[in-house]
Amino acid sequence: AARKMYEINLFAPINLSRKILPNMISRKSGVIINISSIFGEVGGSCEVDYSTAKSGIIGFTKALAKEVGPAGIRVNCVCPGIIDTDMNEDLTFEDIDSLCDEIPLGRMGTVEDVAKMADIDLGDISFWRSSLEIFKERVEEFLRLVEA
């Protein structure tokens, strides 16, 4: 199970980036957006492998941004907090409630919320951003704006 988790969360994004980079470099433009997790930044109890893989994506994003930035390629990483997905289906109501108590909006994020964050990184408005990790507080701030 751990090997598959590393394959999906760490090696797949790295290998995909390596496949698409030659074309981006020849065009001198492109955007790569990796999806990490707040656990990649702060770790997660009972989530050592997941936290390690997500931390690896953050490090990969930072290094790759420095490497390919001069070629006009932006590499960013979105680091959301807890998202309402099947991954969390085994959490009890009490666990979810406790986690949501720590979030100013009082709710888990959604897949759509993460997609909106990635969409901002794809747009021209973020032309200056490279290797910027969007932490839980920034995601929550964005969600407040979206919901307003």
Side-chain angles (χ1 to χ4, degrees):
R3 182 176 302 273
K4 182 177 181 181
M5 191 277 315
Y6 280 104
E7 286 293 332
I8 292 168
N9 290 290
L10 180 61
F11 298 123
I14 290 171
N15 292 334
L16 180 60
S17 295
R18 289 182 177 150
K19 289 275 189 196
I20 62 175
L21 272 171
N23 188 315
M24 290 181 170
I25 291 170
S26 70
R27 291 182 307 146
K28 297 199 179 308
S29 86
V31 179
I32 296 173
I33 301 173
N34 291 312
I35 307 296
S36 183
S37 168
I38 192 68
F39 280 0
E41 214 26 64
V42 300
S45 177
C46 301
E47 295 289 346
V48 173
D49 288 323
Y50 181 78
S51 298
T52 301
K54 292 302 188 175
S55 178
I57 283 297
I58 293 169
F60 173 74
T61 300
K62 289 178 179 181
L64 188 60
K66 289 180 179 181
E67 185 172 315
V68 300
I73 300 162
R74 292 181 288 121
V75 185
N76 295 309
C77 189
V78 177
C79 300
I82 186 167
I83 302 299
D84 188 10
T85 64
D86 291 345
M87 179 178 142
N88 299 311
E89 68 186 4
D90 293 334
L91 294 176
T92 65
F93 177 76
E94 290 78 20
D95 292 336
I96 293 170
D97 198 42
S98 175
L99 289 166
C100 289
D101 282 345
E102 298 177 27
I103 300 170
L105 290 177
R107 69 169 180 84
M108 291 194 288
T110 65
V111 173
E112 290 79 13
D113 296 330
V114 177
K116 289 175 187 174
M117 293 301 298
D119 191 47
I120 286 175
D121 279 340
L122 286 172
D124 290 337
I125 195 167
S126 68
F127 69 92
W128 56 271
R129 293 173 59 181
S130 186
S131 191
L132 176 62
E133 299 164 49
I134 302 170
F135 297 101
K136 182 174 80 171
E137 293 78 16
R138 291 190 181 134
V139 171
E140 292 163 359
E141 179 180 305
F142 173 78
L143 293 175
R144 281 192 294 276
L145 292 172
V146 169
E147 291 176 348

